[in-house]
Amino acid sequence: MSVTPTVNSDLGSFYLVPDYAVRVGDSFDITLVHTLGKFKATRGDRFLFERREHRWIAPQFNDPDAPNYVTAQASSGARLALSATPRNYSAYTDTPTFAIVVEVTDGELNAGDTLTVTIHNPEVGQPVEMSTVAFPTTVKFFLRREIDGQACYAQDTADLSIIAGPTDHLSIHLPGGVQAGQEFTAHIDARDDFDNIAASHYATIEVDTGDEQLLQAEMSKGRLALSATADQPGIYYITARDLYTGQQAVSNPMRVCEPDELKVYFGDIHGKVFFSGGTCDVDQYYHYARDVARLDFSAITGVSELFRHSCTGYRDARPPLTDTNWADLQRAARHYTVDDEFAAFLAFEWQSDWKAELIPDDFTHIQAAGDRSYGDRNVYYLNDDEPFFRPFDEQSNTAQKLFDCLCGKDALVIPHHSSAPEDFGGVGLKGVDWADRDDELMRLVEIYSKWGCSEYSGCPRKLSDHSEGRFVQDALAMGHRLGLIGSSDTHLSIPGGPGVEGGKALRYYRGGYACVYSPRLTRRDLFEGLRSRRCYATTGVRILLDFYLNESPMGTELAMEPMAERNLDIYVAGTAPIESVEIVRNGRTVHTQVGNATPLLEVQWTDASDMREYAFEAPARAPFVYYYIRVIQHDWEMAWSSPVWVDWA
């Protein structure tokens, strides 16, 4: 049995060059230098240069002209062989780990000799991955050796400090809604090319709130927070200009509401951290969501089981979401939830995407169910003391068993990338079999994420591949009553961040937003807004969208006579001029209102047709019609409302 490694100060020193902070976008080589201490190295001895937690460098040893080419040199002239371990080879840590392995094949290294490993032109597997943490961060390397059969680490770590790049643009974030006369905060930030906050930026900012008098305020460390009030209901934008650089920005729209009106809150509730395929820890994730992306709410979807060789599953039968990891998510949901400031939801991702031939033989802990997989679904809790369930435990290895486990709990089950096919990404079914349903738990679907859109076959921003019959419109036609949200599924741990994920051959879309109408920014109110489907999706921009049918809001189920008039009222305030607002009825666009070159558009439309001509029928339901709204801006950013359903009375 392996023994947990200890720190051994006699191994010698270990450090990294450059020993200064690098900025986003810098070109540099990484050189790891180890000076041997008490223990020499002879033929067959190995040095493991570990890097944990960041899915960053994928070393290669064959092409000097390609990124991440690794070389090693011993000052003694000893011959060396280079290789890399698989990800998560180590049973010693609860974080993703792999190592560059340097083995002595001839000669030896003695005390005082140096071993130098250089990673040339380092490039992450997903561009700018190391640079998308918008707060100061450090990538740590560890040196490990086996001494007398005992694994041990050098006392020093080799630390690469990364800071934001130079200012590229300004951003302004306003709340989605405030009550008239209520004080609110406008956040004006200087950001680099990847939307990190440029902490080195100091400036005088001129702010135009629409009043006659311009305001001036000093920005410090890339941030400026201004308190303000607005007394008259309506839609407001503000603009800001850097008096030194001339850079300008326009805010997202903000609705100043009447006392009884609900307000819109923006969130991203689908993302990963270290132990489930991300790049940072739980606290860094929520700091980014709250303090960098300026979200109102967020969630970490800890993946409850992964076993594929290429993913963050463990090779020693330990799933990535351990009891310790889950306790950390519970702690964070409690800690970061502060009423009227920010809400964090406890959540996990139930990934039943296995293919039998891909299950490793040594994964005897997996209790696969039947002859099919059930796709990917996220589970969200109102409370932070709930359990998680794995898709390969006997009690929860089918969708129906998962629903049974959640029965009676304040929980929501939300499928994502529903139209993904078999073999999406080389694994089993990642989409959704709509035959698996529970109308109390499965009240929403993530229509859009960084993977693309699952609205209908041929839709804009579609997934790179798809499977017919698994689109959102297919589910609605089957009688599912699903509200629509967006989120990111960020694997870079940047909830609400820019669309920077992907490799050279695959560029993901910008992640989406879940936009919720709620009386207050509390976890309970937001959860009820989601459960009641009083919510909509966007492609990661803060569009304001509201939709009523006969004065009933999105998410409502109505009963009407087939010939009764349906009066639709739509209100849009965009982040760019509106290209069009489209009314979708039972999967078909039945009315399009072209924009007027401004970000504001109101649409009123009456449907007086006979519902019997096109109503859908589904088991255990009266014939029905659904309506939802699709918004397209000039910049091709989009929004989708949740539907309103009309059943025959």
Side-chain angles (χ1 to χ4, degrees):
M1 178 179 292
S2 298
V3 179
T4 302
T6 59
V7 173
N8 191 327
S9 60
D10 291 331
L11 281 187
S13 64
F14 182 46
Y15 62 94
L16 179 144
V17 178
D19 59 358
Y20 51 84
V22 297
R23 298 212 305 184
V24 172
D26 284 353
S27 296
F28 57 92
D29 293 343
I30 295 175
T31 299
L32 304 168
V33 182
H34 170 47
T35 301
L36 273 69
K38 176 180 177 181
F39 304 105
K40 70 177 185 178
T42 59
R43 182 176 179 178
D45 286 340
R46 302 195 312 165
F47 301 82
L48 281 75
F49 294 84
E50 287 186 358
R51 149 300 290 151
R52 304 176 194 162
E53 303 165 346
H54 279 255
R55 298 193 319 147
W56 186 32
I57 295 166
Q60 57 93 11
F61 313 101
N62 300 315
D63 186 354
D65 297 323
N68 303 331
Y69 178 61
V70 180
T71 59
Q73 183 176 8
S75 62
S76 65
R79 293 184 179 179
L80 308 170
L82 291 169
S83 62
T85 64
R87 290 191 62 192
N88 310 306
Y89 75 95
S90 175
Y92 302 130
T93 65
D94 263 352
T95 54
T97 307
F98 80 78
I100 297 169
V101 181
V102 180
E103 182 174 345
V104 180
T105 59
D106 190 26
E108 61 182 33
L109 291 87
N110 294 294
D113 289 338
T114 59
L115 175 60
T116 303
V117 173
T118 301
I119 305 168
H120 302 270
N121 187 23
E123 181 178 281
V124 296
Q126 302 186 56
V128 306
E129 181 164 344
M130 71 173 185
S131 51
T132 50
V133 178
F135 38 82
T137 189
T138 301
V139 177
K140 289 183 176 290
F141 291 85
F142 301 79
L143 173 66
R144 174 177 153 190
R145 289 188 63 186
E146 304 281 336
I147 303 295
D148 297 328
Q150 167 66 49
C152 53
Y153 287 103
Q155 187 169 12
D156 303 323
T157 59
D159 301 343
L160 177 64
S161 297
I162 303 166
I163 60 176
T167 300
D168 176 76
H169 62 279
L170 298 181
S171 69
I172 312 173
H173 289 100
L174 299 181
V178 296
Q179 286 192 355
Q182 174 189 350
E183 186 175 271
F184 65 91
T185 301
H187 290 282
I188 304 173
D189 300 309
R191 296 182 181 262
D192 69 11
D193 192 37
F194 305 113
D195 239 25
N196 304 322
I197 292 180
S200 61
H201 194 85
Y202 292 78
T204 299
I205 304 297
E206 183 180 77
V207 181
D208 184 353
T209 64
D211 296 333
E212 294 183 1
Q213 187 174 1
L214 299 177
L215 306 176
Q216 290 188 4
E218 298 303 312
M219 172 178 285
S220 175
K221 298 182 179 180
R223 300 173 186 260
L224 172 60
L226 294 177
S227 296
T229 58
D231 296 325
Q232 297 300 317
I235 301 295
Y236 290 80
Y237 297 82
I238 69 171
T239 60
R241 183 167 67 95
D242 187 320
L243 293 182
Y244 177 71
T245 66
Q247 293 170 323
Q248 299 186 64
V250 180
S251 72
N252 60 284
M254 179 183 71
R255 179 184 293 278
V256 177
C257 305
E258 300 284 1
D260 57 345
E261 281 189 282
L262 301 180
K263 296 176 281 293
V264 175
Y265 297 99
F266 298 101
D268 180 354
I269 56 174
H270 187 183
K272 311 294 192 294
V273 291
F274 283 152
F275 52 76
S276 57
T279 63
C280 75
D281 65 29
V282 169
D283 294 293
Q284 289 172 316
Y285 182 100
Y286 279 124
H287 277 294
Y288 188 98
R290 184 189 63 188
D291 302 330
V292 180
R294 307 292 187 192
L295 296 175
D296 299 310
F297 61 97
S298 191
I300 297 167
T301 47
V303 180
S304 58
E305 181 83 70
L306 283 171
F307 59 84
R308 298 187 299 275
H309 294 276
S310 61
C311 291
T312 317
Y314 286 105
R315 298 297 307 163
D316 59 348
R318 287 187 301 155
L321 188 53
T322 63
D323 290 339
T324 300
N325 298 146
W326 185 246
D328 200 22
L329 293 180
Q330 292 175 314
R331 171 199 63 81
R334 286 190 295 270
H335 176 75
Y336 289 99
T337 296
V338 179
D339 287 353
D340 300 313
E341 294 184 13
F342 186 80
F345 288 98
L346 181 66
F348 67 91
E349 182 167 342
W350 187 86
Q351 282 195 356
S352 173
D353 57 10
W354 60 272
K355 291 180 66 179
E357 62 268 27
L358 294 181
I359 299 177
D361 293 337
D362 58 327
F363 272 60
T364 56
H365 65 298
I366 287 179
Q367 300 293 322
D371 59 355
R372 69 185 180 102
S373 50
Y374 295 86
D376 292 3
R377 303 162 195 259
N378 291 334
V379 176
Y380 300 90
Y381 289 120
L382 170 60
N383 302 309
D384 50 37
D385 57 354
E386 301 285 8
F388 68 95
F389 300 97
R390 297 193 178 105
F392 301 113
D393 288 346
E394 181 63 31
Q395 67 167 337
S396 53
N397 60 5
T398 71
Q400 186 56 55
K401 288 181 180 179
L402 174 66
F403 298 151
D404 291 343
C405 289
L406 297 170
C407 182
K409 297 182 180 297
D410 283 315
L412 292 169
V413 178
I414 305 180
H416 54 274
H417 47 55
S418 68
S419 62
E422 297 281 356
D423 293 322
F424 187 63
V427 297
L429 174 66
K430 301 290 288 183
V432 175
D433 185 340
W434 293 117
D436 303 313
R437 63 187 294 175
D438 184 303
D439 292 342
E440 290 303 311
L441 291 167
M442 214 168 76
R443 300 177 62 80
L444 298 164
V445 62
E446 186 181 286
I447 192 173
Y448 175 84
S449 71
K450 73 169 188 179
W451 302 97
C453 183
S454 290
E455 184 183 4
Y456 62 89
S457 181
C459 64
R461 299 185 179 222
K462 62 185 175 66
L463 272 64
S464 59
D465 196 5
H466 65 268
S467 179
E468 295 298 328
R470 304 191 190 279
F471 290 96
V472 171
Q473 288 189 358
D474 296 319
L476 295 174
M478 293 171 62
H480 285 269
R481 300 288 165 100
L482 298 172
L484 308 183
I485 65 164
S487 278
S488 67
D489 194 8
T490 175
H491 287 56
L492 299 189
S493 305
I494 49 171
V500 297
E501 302 193 37
K504 289 182 177 179
L506 175 62
R507 188 74 166 181
Y508 298 114
Y509 299 103
R510 178 210 296 267
Y513 279 168
C515 313
V516 181
Y517 278 92
S518 173
R520 285 182 61 198
L521 176 50
T522 71
R523 189 200 289 167
R524 179 170 293 278
D525 287 327
L526 291 171
F527 192 85
E528 290 306 317
L530 290 166
R531 183 152 54 190
S532 65
R533 300 173 300 226
R534 191 75 166 89
C535 54
Y536 61 96
T538 78
T539 53
V541 292
R542 301 185 186 216
I543 297 170
L544 296 181
L545 168 62
D546 211 355
F547 161 46
Y548 296 86
L549 192 152
N550 288 5
E551 300 184 350
S552 294
M554 66 178 82
T556 303
E557 300 180 40
L558 302 175
M560 301 175 65
E561 295 293 332
M563 290 297 296
E565 288 188 348
R566 284 84 68 197
N567 300 302
L568 284 71
D569 296 282
I570 302 112
Y571 307 91
V572 182
T575 57
I578 303 300
E579 177 75 17
S580 64
V581 172
E582 301 173 355
I583 298 174
V584 178
R585 182 187 69 198
N586 281 17
R588 296 180 179 272
T589 301
V590 294
H591 180 76
T592 299
Q593 181 75 45
V594 177
N596 54 10
T598 75
L600 302 176
L601 192 62
E602 295 186 11
V603 180
Q604 286 80 41
W605 185 73
T606 297
D607 189 353
S609 62
D610 187 343
M611 288 193 294
R612 289 171 293 195
E613 297 178 359
Y614 44 78
F616 286 140
E617 296 186 8
R621 290 202 185 281
F624 66 92
V625 176
Y626 69 79
Y627 299 82
Y628 69 84
I629 308 305
R630 183 191 303 124
V631 177
I632 304 173
Q633 297 189 151
H634 279 191
D635 59 5
W636 297 108
E637 300 294 351
M638 300 179 67
W640 301 263
S641 77
S642 287
V644 173
W645 291 267
V646 181
D647 297 321
W648 289 8

